[in-house]
């Protein structure tokens, strides 16, 4: 009977450790989600004023109120000087990678679906710098 109590105590300690590890990993995942999104007042909203392909993995969106964000893709899917498609989900705001789907190079026979890894808010000065780029 003594051995049974030791085994039961060990199983309980192991289960408690698993719960702590799961809670910690959930907390870290929540932190990752927060770091990939922008706050509510930094979001861009439709109708958009402008969209600009910065490079094969970066798209800048600017709305009519002057808010701007960079959408960082997980890989190269955009073409400079080519149109992109945007499909909004739930609302017409872009605050996180799950708010919009980007289709790059829609002029090709098979448009590329872009996976957004993060959304970064831009200042007015940063927007000017990106607009001055060729």
């Amino acid at each position: 009977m003594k051995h049974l109590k030791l085994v039961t105590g060990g199983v309980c300690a192991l289960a408690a450790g698993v719960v702590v590890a799961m809670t910690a990993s959930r907390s870290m995942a929540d932190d990752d989600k927060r770091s990939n999104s922008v706050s509510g007042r930094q979001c861009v909203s439709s109708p958009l004023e402008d969209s600009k392909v910065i490079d094969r993995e970066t798209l800048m969106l600017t709305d009519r109120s002057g808010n701007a964000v960079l959408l960082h893709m997980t890989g190269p899917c955009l073409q400079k000087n080519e149109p992109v498609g945007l499909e909004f989900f739930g609302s017409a705001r872009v605050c996180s990678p799950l708010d919009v789907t980007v289709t790059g190079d829609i002029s090709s026979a098979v448009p590329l679906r872009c996976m957004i890894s993060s959304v970064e808010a831009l200042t007015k000065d940063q927007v000017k710098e990106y607009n001055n780029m060729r």
Side-chain angles (χ1 to χ4, degrees):
M1 196 65 156
K2 216 178 202 182
H3 296 293
L4 182 61
K5 287 181 183 178
L6 287 175
V7 170
T8 306
V11 170
C12 289
L14 179 62
V18 169
V19 169
V20 168
M22 288 174 59
T23 303
S25 68
R26 243 187 240 139
S27 177
M28 287 174 20
D30 290 343
D31 289 343
D32 287 344
K33 287 179 190 172
R34 281 193 288 272
S35 66
N36 290 338
S37 304
V38 295
S39 70
R41 61 175 211 262
Q42 295 174 317
C43 301
V44 294
S45 300
S46 182
L48 296 174
E49 183 69 26
D50 190 26
S51 65
K52 180 177 183 174
V53 175
I54 304 300
D55 59 37
R56 301 250 321 134
E57 297 180 8
T58 312
L59 177 66
M60 182 175 73
L61 300 178
T62 308
D63 66 14
R64 291 187 179 170
S65 66
N67 290 341
V69 295
L70 286 181
L71 302 181
H72 298 282
M73 309 303 157
T74 59
C77 65
L78 303 169
Q79 292 288 335
K80 278 198 168 217
N81 302 319
E82 293 290 333
V84 296
L86 300 173
E87 181 181 353
F88 293 90
F89 294 102
S91 73
R93 293 178 55 158
V94 179
C95 303
S96 78
L98 301 177
D99 292 336
V100 67
T101 295
V102 176
T103 305
D105 194 14
I106 61 174
S107 62
S108 66
V110 179
L112 297 172
R113 299 288 264 186
C114 301
M115 297 294 294
I116 302 169
S117 62
S118 65
V119 178
E120 175 188 353
L122 296 176
T123 65
K124 305 279 187 217
D125 290 336
Q126 289 172 316
V127 172
K128 286 179 189 174
E129 287 177 33
Y130 282 114
N131 282 328
N132 290 334
M133 291 175 53
R134 293 184 190 255

